[in-house]
Amino acid sequence: MFRKKSKPSSAQKQSAAKGEKNNEANTKKKVPTSATDFIQSVSNAVHNSSDLMVKSVPPELTFIYIDNLVDNQTLNNHILQDLSKHENLSPENIPSILSIPHVELADELEKAVISMMDGSVLIHLEGHSTVVLANIPTNETRSLSAPEMESQVIGSQVAFNESLSTNVSLIRRYIKNPNLCNENLQVGKQSNTSIAMLYIKGVASDEMVKTLRQRITDLETDSVMDSSILEQLIDDNSFSIFPQMLLTERPDKVCAELLFGKIAVIVDGSSMVIVCPHSFLEFLQSQEDQNVRWQIATFLRLLRFSAVVLSIFLTPLYVAALTYHYEVIPQTLLVPLSESRALVPFPPIFEALLLEIMIELLREAGIRLPTKVGQTIGIVGGIVIGTAAVDAGITSNILIIIVAIGALASFTTPSYMMGNVIRVIRFPLIVFAGLWGFYGIMLGLCFILVHLLRQSSLGSPYTAPFYPPRLLDWRDSLIRLPFPLAFKRPSNTRPEDEDKYEPEPINPENEQKVN
């Protein structure tokens, strides 16, 4: 579907140069001066599409646009009325006559057709080889709503939608700063998807901005239909199961990351925004951590990290202990554990994998079904299947409790992408535990740690701030200290401006003395 540009040989360069000259001669056709020829050229470019609309206004004006892509009210009430009041029209004076913001001129037919597919009206004057592009796209977008996957109690209750302009405006409402740069890019030979790359000049690293811009512009793909697809195309290691860039639906989260010196990428038609670079620990942080007291935020972050560890290792530890290491089980627990497994005919590894797969089936069914039906399936299905499995002697009560705790702990991860990773890597650890016991778990843990240490996000270490060790960044990582003590921006973003707060804490006594 896509490929990245490679360095061609000298022979390939010569043949490519000849091909480019021929292509330029064929593709970069000029706008015909005759209205009839212009209509025919545009119609041929879109292969006589049935939704191509042509309006002729005697004696010299011709309007061409795609139906349902332009705002008909603006076309009739502004463009047609404004032009009908003037005489001696020319492509050069039409932009000053029209009362719409986005108007430009084009003398190439290809540029005019591409602009028409983006919601522009082509205004052609008889005898002129320049066409006016009046961009008046329809505003058929979903209204703003509360976040569905990243809900929180304290803080903003607005989420992004599928409109690129709306999403950019949401960010600008939070950050009213002229240094907030917005670069418009296009990706996709077939889709021509619009992409906005946002960063704060003087805060974000120029090197990272240049690297990300190069990765996006070097892509050769037919289409990019969602930001999650673009994230997989531009990350550092597409073969890794761990996400290296954050996907979020919260404008306040994106703005907070921009102020930390990071870069945001918005894809037209997607309600999720890419934020990079992002480290592993930052996937366990929530925007609500900044809205509560630092003691509460630290407790919640430690709780999430403990839940991740519990979700990954609880079931493998159960399998390893019952298969090879009975001596680690307390004697008071050994008797009820043996009684619960007395009627189970399967080994612990098969029993654990069976229950984990059943949990994933219920989760997947609950997502794909309608909301009310999915909730019923998740609750009733879990109770009925769990009770029936114990009564039939397929599994034990204790394992059902362990699997349920592991599934519940996996939902504490704020990032949906990281939550999926945590659920998946549990399965190979269960297999390792069933084959080699605790040694297998340690082997799997070593594989995970080595893999994490080798990863990077936009060239930044994935395991920062613990490796390489950066003690100042520990203040806002696994724990969150008070704001005056965490006054530095994360060093993994290599920010131009390192300070985000005044280093001196606020002292009410000093304020009273000043007053």
Side-chain angles (χ1 to χ4, degrees):
M1 178 183 177
F2 71 95
R3 60 186 176 90
K4 294 184 178 180
K5 297 178 181 178
S6 58
K7 294 183 179 179
S9 61
S10 58
Q12 290 175 335
K13 289 181 179 179
Q14 293 178 357
S15 61
K18 294 180 180 178
E20 287 178 359
K21 291 180 180 180
N22 295 330
N23 290 335
E24 289 179 359
N26 295 329
T27 58
K28 292 188 177 181
K29 296 180 180 179
K30 296 298 182 179
V31 174
T33 56
S34 170
T36 304
D37 294 340
F38 177 67
I39 295 172
Q40 187 62 41
S41 299
V42 174
S43 180
N44 293 336
V46 297
H47 306 286
N48 299 316
S49 180
S50 60
D51 55 354
L52 181 68
M53 307 299 293
V54 179
K55 286 186 177 181
S56 297
V57 179
E60 55 183 0
L61 283 175
T62 302
F63 299 87
I64 303 180
Y65 58 93
I66 298 294
D67 193 19
N68 298 323
L69 285 185
V70 302
D71 187 357
N72 288 316
Q73 185 176 0
T74 304
L75 174 62
N76 297 324
N77 297 342
H78 293 276
I79 296 180
L80 291 177
Q81 289 188 5
D82 291 344
L83 296 181
S84 63
K85 299 176 182 177
H86 293 79
E87 298 179 354
N88 301 323
L89 295 175
S90 67
E92 289 73 19
N93 63 15
I94 286 181
S96 60
I97 296 174
L98 296 179
S99 58
I100 58 175
H102 303 291
V103 182
E104 59 179 328
L105 303 178
D107 58 358
E108 295 178 1
L109 184 64
E110 181 184 8
K111 180 180 178 181
V113 172
I114 292 177
S115 180
M116 181 181 65
M117 304 307 296
D118 195 32
S120 293
V121 177
L122 309 185
I123 306 175
H124 182 268
L125 281 86
E126 181 71 31
H128 292 271
S129 60
T130 302
V131 65
V132 180
L133 311 179
N135 189 252
I136 50 172
T138 56
N139 295 322
E140 297 176 355
T141 59
R142 179 171 58 91
S143 59
L144 298 177
S145 59
E148 295 183 1
M149 294 189 299
E150 300 176 71
S151 59
Q152 63 184 29
V153 179
I154 302 176
S156 174
Q157 302 297 327
V158 178
F160 291 115
N161 63 9
E162 289 75 18
S163 173
L164 179 63
S165 58
T166 302
N167 294 339
V168 173
S169 65
L170 285 175
I171 294 177
R172 288 201 177 274
R173 290 176 187 176
Y174 281 94
I175 304 178
K176 302 177 178 66
N177 187 345
N179 293 326
L180 178 60
C181 300
N182 178 15
E183 296 187 13
N184 291 322
L185 307 172
Q186 287 213 339
V187 174
K189 295 180 292 185
Q190 304 295 337
S191 63
N192 290 313
T193 305
S194 298
I195 294 175
M197 187 175 72
L198 286 83
Y199 59 92
I200 300 179
K201 189 69 174 178
V203 176
S205 169
D206 292 336
E207 182 181 354
M208 286 189 172
V209 172
K210 182 180 179 181
T211 300
L212 184 59
R213 184 191 303 117
Q214 189 69 30
R215 289 185 185 182
I216 296 176
T217 54
D218 281 354
L219 284 177
E220 292 187 357
T221 176
D222 285 344
S223 64
V224 175
M225 305 305 296
D226 193 79
S227 56
S228 58
I229 299 176
L230 180 64
E231 183 265 336
Q232 297 177 64
L233 297 178
I234 62 175
D235 60 5
D236 293 37
N237 184 6
S238 299
F239 295 98
S240 174
I241 191 176
F242 290 91
Q244 295 124 51
M245 297 180 181
L246 176 67
L247 288 174
T248 179
E249 60 178 347
R250 300 194 61 90
D252 54 345
K253 177 70 173 177
V254 174
C255 294
E257 301 293 352
L258 287 173
L259 294 171
F260 283 159
K262 298 186 180 183
I263 310 169
V265 179
I266 308 175
V267 178
D268 191 19
S270 175
S271 60
M272 305 293 287
V273 174
I274 303 172
V275 177
C276 58
H278 218 64
S279 65
F280 174 77
L281 279 180
E282 288 176 324
F283 282 98
L284 306 181
Q285 299 175 3
S286 171
Q287 181 59 29
E288 196 172 17
D289 297 343
Q290 305 294 328
N291 301 334
V292 297
R293 306 292 295 180
W294 67 272
Q295 299 92 336
I296 306 299
T298 299
F299 170 76
L300 293 176
R301 289 185 180 182
L302 292 175
L303 181 64
R304 291 191 205 107
F305 184 77
S306 303
V308 169
V309 175
L310 197 66
S311 177
I312 295 174
F313 293 103
L314 187 58
T315 306
L317 288 173
Y318 170 86
V319 173
L322 288 186
T323 307
Y324 297 102
H325 310 284
Y326 274 101
E327 66 278 3
V328 301
I329 303 175
Q331 188 174 1
T332 55
L333 184 61
L334 190 59
V335 174
L337 187 60
S338 302
E339 291 178 352
S340 66
R341 283 194 45 81
L343 300 177
V344 178
F346 306 114
I349 180 175
F350 182 83
E351 179 189 7
L353 289 175
L354 180 63
L355 275 184
E356 291 287 353
I357 293 174
M358 288 171 57
I359 289 291
E360 295 301 323
L361 287 175
L362 287 173
R363 191 200 318 269
E364 189 68 15
I367 295 175
R368 304 306 166 195
L369 291 172
T371 305
K372 295 182 179 179
V373 180
Q375 293 176 354
T376 305
I377 289 293
I379 298 173
V380 177
I383 296 174
V384 172
I385 294 176
T387 305
V390 174
D391 294 340
I394 298 177
T395 184
S396 62
N397 293 324
I398 295 179
L399 182 57
I400 288 183
I401 296 174
I402 290 176
V403 171
I405 293 175
L408 186 63
S410 66
F411 287 115
T412 61
T413 308
S415 171
Y416 175 77
M417 306 296 289
M418 185 59 71
N420 289 336
V421 173
I422 292 170
R423 291 194 292 269
V424 171
I425 63 177
R426 188 165 55 221
F427 285 93
L429 286 176
I430 293 175
V431 175
F432 285 174
L435 294 177
W436 300 298
F438 289 161
Y439 299 104
I441 295 177
M442 292 303 300
L443 179 63
L445 177 60
C446 290
F447 275 130
I448 294 174
L449 290 179
V450 171
H451 180 75
L452 290 176
L453 291 172
R454 296 182 60 186
Q455 300 310 305
S456 61
S457 176
L458 205 62
S460 175
Y462 194 58
T463 53
F466 295 104
Y467 184 83
R470 291 163 178 168
L471 299 180
L472 288 179
D473 291 347
W474 288 14
R475 302 176 181 182
D476 191 9
S477 57
L478 194 58
I479 61 174
R480 206 214 87 188
L481 294 184
F483 288 137
L485 297 181
F487 58 90
K488 292 286 186 180
R489 289 187 172 90
S491 58
N492 64 316
T493 62
R494 299 194 287 273
E496 301 291 336
D497 183 7
E498 296 183 354
D499 293 338
K500 58 180 178 178
Y501 303 115
E502 289 294 332
E504 293 296 331
I506 298 175
N507 191 345
E509 296 181 358
N510 294 338
E511 293 183 353
Q512 293 178 0
K513 292 180 180 179
V514 172
N515 295 333

